[in-house]
């Protein structure tokens, strides 16, 4: 979680991660607002706000009287979204930091390769 | 309101439970005395019931009142509700106490002739050694006397409970000293200026006078208590 | 109808000292309110006045429009848990639960029993035989099971160990979700409940310092850090709450919203409720 963000955005981010990683598959039910607020010890209104971020983005949908479900195609949608943000959120920052440390572009690319290999 | 009557019921049953223990002890003592004195020729004399009930109601007023106000406050019953329901409760308990007294008296009067069972009423208004069997009306008067005196004593208890609740520890000692002094002073006044004799005559003239002697100060104490209660900070007794 | 408690221009003096000085607050609707303030700020006094355990020197308090003194209808809508034990000393926990059910038919005995089990509270014990911690737990359990329109907790977690604190907060939210009601939590432990409370009231020396949604409070300030000279030039003309210097680095808490672009070399951060609270108090104290 990103520490400095408002709590409802942190919750939204966590939920998105869950959908991306397959913890909450398509058409499956996500925990209720009460469950989220009890687990994270946050106000239910805040939890609702966090969940509504995903509802507004079309990633979750409501079944009346049953609960919240993951929309068909939500993971793909998220992946596209996150890819668009990837450059701004990660690359720009990495480059900035690399410059202040005196690293060259080649050196970073080499590190990236190593990172991918290590992850496997 | 439904829960208000529940609150009153709780108070009443709580008092009855305490009284139940007391009456059991009294009854046991009486039975013991019957067995013990029946083997003797001399005449025993028991007239402690009335006095016991006055002390009982006084102590009840002191101990129970704060509990009821506290518990009431915890569950959303106002000071007014707690105060007046307590007083109504004490009146009802006094009645139970007095009726139990009459029953005990009837029982004892018939059970054994070697014990002279006499209560306050007989001691003051009848020659207790002569008339053991009371008429129905006399029994009723005796009961009423016990009832009203016991009830008055409970109000005195309420008064002290609330008075000692609002005054700080420093003033508590002063207040107790003042009460002791007042009792002593009025006692010595009664002795010195023949007031005592006049008062005694007045009291013995009619049971109504004795009732008034207790009820009027009780009324005053009750009113003062109600006004004092406004200033009480309702706090717990311990942790 | 929405639950409403109105504290109107309340002053409470104890002898020469003034505990509350012309305080006006409106609590409204099924929200979780935080009544925040240091020790001695007047939180407990305010709660005791709301439940008519104390009488104000001046001012009135109403519940749904009805003044609280001598008013059962108003008072029975509130249930206030404090560190004070108002139960008779020799009453057993089980009996206290029975009595609660008797006086408040909405009291849920099953919930109370299950909570007693979760907290390992022995129902056979007498109230005055409980340890300080379990005394609090006993009263918290009644507060969590009573279902009055408004439940007030005064310093609820004081004397509870870490595990029980956690459990209490979870149960509190569960209760709030199951039976929406007005909750007022008074505490000086702000960090623990800052994500819980929807609306914050901050008391300071008997006066209301802030009374607004918690979200607004969190957004009311930001922190800036960087080299001393840079920070100083940035701060000129701004409403600075507090500043700290560590080596050549300065961190300042600033009131308001930051401009879109900060001068290069400065770092921007959000201020959490606890830090903002401390900044506010420190600013007041330096006045």
């Amino acid at each position: 979680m990103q520490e400095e963000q408002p709590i409802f955005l942190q919750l939204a981010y966590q939920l998105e991660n869950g959908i991306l990683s397959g913890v909450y598959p398509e058409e499956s039910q996500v925990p209720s607002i009460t469950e989220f607020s009890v687990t994270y010890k946050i106000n239910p209104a805040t939890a609702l706000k966090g969940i509504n971020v995903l509802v507004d983005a079309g990633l979750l949908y409501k079944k009346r009287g049953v609960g919240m479900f993951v929309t068909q195609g939500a993971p793909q949608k998220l992946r596209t979204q996150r890819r668009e943000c990837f450059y701004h959120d990660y690359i720009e920052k990495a480059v900035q930091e690399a410059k202040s440390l005196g690293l060259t572009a080649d050196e970073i690319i080499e590190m990236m390769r190593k990172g991918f290999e290590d992850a496997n | 309101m439904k829960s208000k009557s529940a609150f009153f019921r709780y108070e009443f049953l709580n008092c009855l439970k305490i009284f139940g223990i007391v009456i059991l002890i009294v009854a046991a003592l009486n039975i013991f005395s019957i067995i013990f004195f029946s083997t003797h020729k001399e005449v025993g004399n028991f007239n402690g019931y009335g006095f016991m009930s006055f002390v009982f109601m006084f102590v009840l007023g002191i101990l129970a009142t704060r509990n009821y106000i506290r518990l009431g406050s915890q569950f959303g019953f106002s000071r007014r509700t707690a105060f007046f329901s307590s007083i109504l409760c004490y009146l009802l308990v006094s009645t139970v106490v007095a009726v139990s007294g009459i029953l005990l008296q009837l029982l004892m009067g018939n059970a054994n002739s070697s014990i002279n069972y006499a209560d306050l009423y007989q001691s003051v208004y009848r020659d207790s050694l002569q008339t053991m069997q009371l008429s129905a009306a006399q029994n009723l008067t005796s009961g009423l006397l016990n009832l009203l005196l016991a009830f008055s004593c409970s109000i005195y208890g309420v008064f002290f409970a609330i008075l000692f609740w609002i005054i700080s520890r420093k003033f508590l000692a002063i207040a107790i000293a003042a009460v002791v002094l007042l009792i002593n002073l009025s006692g010595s006044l009664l002795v010195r200026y023949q007031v005592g004799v006049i008062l005694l005559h007045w009291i013995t003239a009619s049971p109504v006078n004795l009732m008034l002697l207790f009820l009027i100060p009780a009324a005053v104490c009750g009113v003062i208590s109600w006004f004092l209660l406004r200033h009480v900070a309702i706090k717990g007794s311990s942790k | 109808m929405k639950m409403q408690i109105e504290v109107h221009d309340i002053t409470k003096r104890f002898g020469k000292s003034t505990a509350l000085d012309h305080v006006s607050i409106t609590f409204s609707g099924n929200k979780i309110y935080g009544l925040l303030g240091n020790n001695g700020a007047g939180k407990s006094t305010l709660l005791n006045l709301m439940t008519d355990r104390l009488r104000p020197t001046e001012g009135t308090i109403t519940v749904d429009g009805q003044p609280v003194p001598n008013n059962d209808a108003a008072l029975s809508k509130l249930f206030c848990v404090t560190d004070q034990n108002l139960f008779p000393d020799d009453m057993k926990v089980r009996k206290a639960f029975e009595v609660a059910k008797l006086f408040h038919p909405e009291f849920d005995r099953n919930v109370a029993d299950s909570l007693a089990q979760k907290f390992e509270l022995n129902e056979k014990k007498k109230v005055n035989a409980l340890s300080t911690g379990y005394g609090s737990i006993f009263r918290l359990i009644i507060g969590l099971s009573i279902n009055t329109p408004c439940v007030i907790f005064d310093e609820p977690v004081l004397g509870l160990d870490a595990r029980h604190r956690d459990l209490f907060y979870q149960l509190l939210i569960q209760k709030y979700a199951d039976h929406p009601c007005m909750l007022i939590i008074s505490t000086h432990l702000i960090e623990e409940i800052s994500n819980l409370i929807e609306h914050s009231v901050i008391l300071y020396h008997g006066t209301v310092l802030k009374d607004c949604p918690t979200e607004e409070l969190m957004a009311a300030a930001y922190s800036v850090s960087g080299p001393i000279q840079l920070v100083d030039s940035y701060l000129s003309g701004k409403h600075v709450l507090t500043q700290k210097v560590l080596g050549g680095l300065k961190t300042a808490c600033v009131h308001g919203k930051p401009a879109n672009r900060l001068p290069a070399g400065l770092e921007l951060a959000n201020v959490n409720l606890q830090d903002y609270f401390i900044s506010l108090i420190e600013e007041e104290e330096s006045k």
Side-chain angles (χ1 to χ4, degrees):
Chain A
M1 276 203 199
Q2 287 151 300
E3 192 46 53
E4 301 299 344
Q5 279 199 324
I7 204 88
F8 76 97
L9 285 180
Q10 291 181 37
L11 175 67
Y13 190 74
Q14 278 252 317
L15 252 172
E16 285 181 3
N17 283 348
I19 292 173
L20 265 180
S21 65
V23 173
Y24 309 122
E26 287 163 278
E27 296 299 337
S28 73
Q29 188 169 6
V30 298
S32 69
I33 289 161
T34 308
E35 285 172 291
F36 275 120
S37 45
V38 168
T39 313
Y40 293 115
K41 284 178 274 168
I42 57 176
N43 193 295
T46 315
L48 179 67
K49 217 172 150 185
I51 286 178
N52 275 342
V53 170
L54 275 78
V55 173
D56 292 344
L59 299 166
L60 293 180
Y61 68 97
K62 222 177 275 182
K63 269 192 200 165
R64 215 160 251 291
V66 187
M68 294 290 189
F69 290 81
V70 179
T71 315
Q72 189 74 46
Q76 288 82 341
K77 206 170 185 177
L78 263 175
R79 222 161 269 140
T80 324
Q81 247 178 45
R82 289 263 179 112
R83 275 181 189 169
E84 281 162 14
C85 300
F86 187 76
Y87 181 79
H88 173 76
D89 286 353
Y90 295 92
I91 303 298
E92 276 185 2
K93 282 190 184 131
V95 170
Q96 202 181 354
E97 177 75 4
K99 271 188 171 171
S100 71
L101 298 175
L103 291 167
T104 65
D106 286 339
E107 279 171 309
I108 307 175
I109 292 163
E110 188 48 44
M111 278 184 189
M112 282 288 188
R113 281 216 179 84
K114 190 176 179 306
F116 268 92
E117 280 161 20
D118 289 353
N120 284 335
Chain B
M1 208 201 292
K2 198 179 158 197
S3 57
K4 211 190 273 191
S5 65
F7 184 57
F8 178 74
R9 227 172 20 246
Y10 164 78
E11 291 178 318
F12 184 56
L13 290 177
N14 182 246
C15 287
L16 278 192
K17 215 164 75 186
I18 304 168
F19 176 63
I21 298 166
V22 173
I23 194 80
L24 276 179
I25 294 170
V26 170
L29 280 175
N30 277 322
I31 291 162
F32 172 76
S33 66
I34 289 173
I35 297 163
F36 186 73
F37 283 116
S38 59
T39 58
H40 291 64
K41 283 273 183 269
E42 66 265 43
V43 172
N45 198 327
F46 175 80
N47 57 7
Y49 186 83
F51 187 68
M52 180 229 63
S53 66
F54 308 152
V55 173
F56 170 74
M57 289 308 293
F58 179 68
V59 174
L60 195 66
I62 287 186
L63 296 181
T65 308
R66 283 191 212 178
N67 275 354
Y68 296 157
I69 292 171
R70 283 194 188 108
L71 194 66
S73 173
Q74 179 67 81
F75 285 105
F77 299 105
S78 66
R79 294 165 192 234
R80 180 158 62 194
T81 302
F83 181 78
F84 287 107
S85 66
S86 305
I87 287 181
L88 185 64
C89 167
Y90 299 148
L91 181 61
L92 223 59
V93 175
S94 302
T95 311
V96 172
V97 170
V99 170
S100 317
I102 295 174
L103 291 179
L104 200 69
Q105 193 161 312
L106 289 174
L107 252 149
M108 298 300 290
N110 294 326
N112 194 293
S113 51
S114 68
I115 307 169
N116 190 0
Y117 187 93
D119 208 345
L120 184 70
Y121 175 75
Q122 288 98 312
S123 313
V124 180
Y125 301 103
R126 297 277 165 259
D127 183 350
S128 57
L129 288 175
Q130 299 300 315
T131 49
M132 279 173 35
Q133 297 292 340
L134 297 178
S135 70
Q138 287 167 334
N139 256 324
L140 215 62
T141 316
S142 173
L144 192 67
L145 186 72
N146 278 352
L147 189 164
L148 292 177
L149 263 52
F151 176 59
S152 302
C153 287
S154 71
I155 306 285
Y156 303 150
V158 171
F159 172 71
F160 283 114
I162 293 175
L163 180 71
F164 292 161
W165 208 0
I166 64 162
I167 53 183
S168 63
R169 215 156 266 176
K170 190 170 65 187
F171 284 105
L172 188 67
I174 297 173
I176 291 172
V179 169
V180 171
L181 204 70
L182 197 74
I183 292 170
N184 276 331
L185 213 67
S186 51
S188 60
L189 272 177
L190 288 180
V191 173
R192 182 169 296 180
Y193 297 106
Q194 297 283 304
V195 187
V197 180
I198 299 164
L199 194 70
L200 212 64
H201 272 294
W202 183 72
I203 290 171
T204 49
S206 158
V208 177
N209 293 348
L210 187 56
M211 292 175 197
L212 286 178
L213 186 74
F214 274 74
L215 273 177
I216 292 167
V220 174
C221 281
V223 171
I224 297 174
S225 305
W226 170 238
F227 282 108
L228 287 179
L229 188 60
R230 292 172 56 91
H231 301 285
V232 166
I234 301 174
K235 279 188 198 151
S237 55
S238 54
K239 306 174 273 197
Chain C
M1 204 184 85
K2 253 211 259 175
M3 174 84 195
Q4 185 145 319
I5 304 175
E6 261 178 280
V7 177
H8 183 70
D9 204 18
I10 283 285
T11 297
K12 177 66 185 175
R13 292 191 198 93
F14 295 103
K16 277 178 189 161
S17 70
T18 305
L20 291 172
D21 192 6
H22 296 285
V23 166
S24 293
I25 306 165
T26 302
F27 299 94
S28 173
N30 292 342
K31 282 184 215 154
I32 304 183
Y33 279 89
L35 185 60
L36 313 175
N38 289 332
N39 290 327
K43 305 185 298 287
S44 294
T45 304
L46 179 65
L47 298 180
N48 280 327
L49 288 166
M50 281 161 63
T51 48
D52 198 34
R53 289 173 194 168
L54 282 177
R55 291 270 164 98
T57 313
E58 282 168 42
T60 53
I61 295 174
T62 61
V63 173
D64 291 341
Q66 295 178 307
V68 290
N70 295 331
N71 190 333
D72 293 322
L75 288 168
S76 62
K77 288 179 186 168
L78 316 176
F79 188 83
C80 182
V81 177
T82 69
D83 62 338
Q84 298 284 320
N85 171 37
L86 295 176
F87 290 85
D89 282 341
D90 60 346
M91 191 181 259
K92 285 185 178 151
V93 171
R94 179 172 296 153
K95 176 76 183 169
F97 287 173
E98 281 167 20
V99 161
K101 179 77 189 166
L102 217 58
F103 298 165
H104 281 275
E106 326 85 86
F107 177 81
D108 194 329
R109 180 69 198 269
N110 293 336
V111 169
D113 284 338
S114 79
L115 294 190
Q117 227 164 32
K118 275 185 186 152
F119 280 107
E120 291 151 353
L121 170 70
N122 185 353
E123 287 191 31
K124 286 178 194 148
K125 270 201 166 174
K126 283 183 179 177
V127 166
N128 69 339
L130 298 171
S131 67
T132 314
Y134 269 102
S136 313
I137 287 171
F138 156 65
R139 292 187 290 277
L140 290 178
I141 288 177
I142 295 187
L144 289 169
S145 326
I146 192 117
N147 300 329
T148 46
C150 171
V151 185
I152 302 169
F153 294 96
D154 187 8
E155 298 286 4
V157 297
L158 236 56
L160 263 62
D161 61 34
R163 189 170 51 101
H164 283 157
R165 274 182 193 206
D166 209 64
L167 185 57
F168 168 70
Y169 289 127
Q170 291 187 359
L171 292 168
L172 186 73
I173 302 168
Q174 191 68 53
K175 173 204 163 55
Y176 181 68
D178 294 343
H179 302 274
C181 63
M182 178 189 284
L183 290 174
I184 302 176
I185 304 164
S186 142
T187 185
H188 65 276
L189 303 166
I190 294 159
E191 197 156 19
E192 293 188 359
I193 63 157
S194 62
N195 291 327
L196 224 70
I197 52 181
E198 197 173 338
H199 194 106
S200 301
V201 176
I202 300 180
L203 288 183
Y204 176 75
H205 284 313
T207 57
V208 178
L209 199 58
K210 289 278 170 193
D211 177 4
C212 63
T214 309
E215 211 167 66
E216 251 173 59
L217 272 187
M218 304 268 234
Y222 61 98
S223 107
V224 165
S225 57
I228 294 181
Q229 280 176 329
L230 269 177
V231 173
D232 277 342
S233 68
Y234 175 79
L235 291 180
S236 74
K238 291 198 169 58
H239 183 176
V240 182
L241 291 168
T242 51
Q243 34 193 332
K244 274 190 201 94
V245 175
L246 182 68
L249 201 74
K250 186 169 197 170
T251 306
C253 185
V254 188
H255 198 88
K257 280 194 185 305
N260 278 342
R261 284 216 164 264
L262 278 186
L266 291 186
E267 289 252 9
L268 182 71
N270 285 336
V271 173
N272 68 32
L273 190 60
Q274 168 123 328
D275 290 340
Y276 180 58
F277 173 81
I278 293 170
S279 306
L280 271 180
I281 300 291
E282 279 178 5
E283 195 207 13
E284 283 298 314
E285 237 126 59
S286 63
K287 268 181 188 169

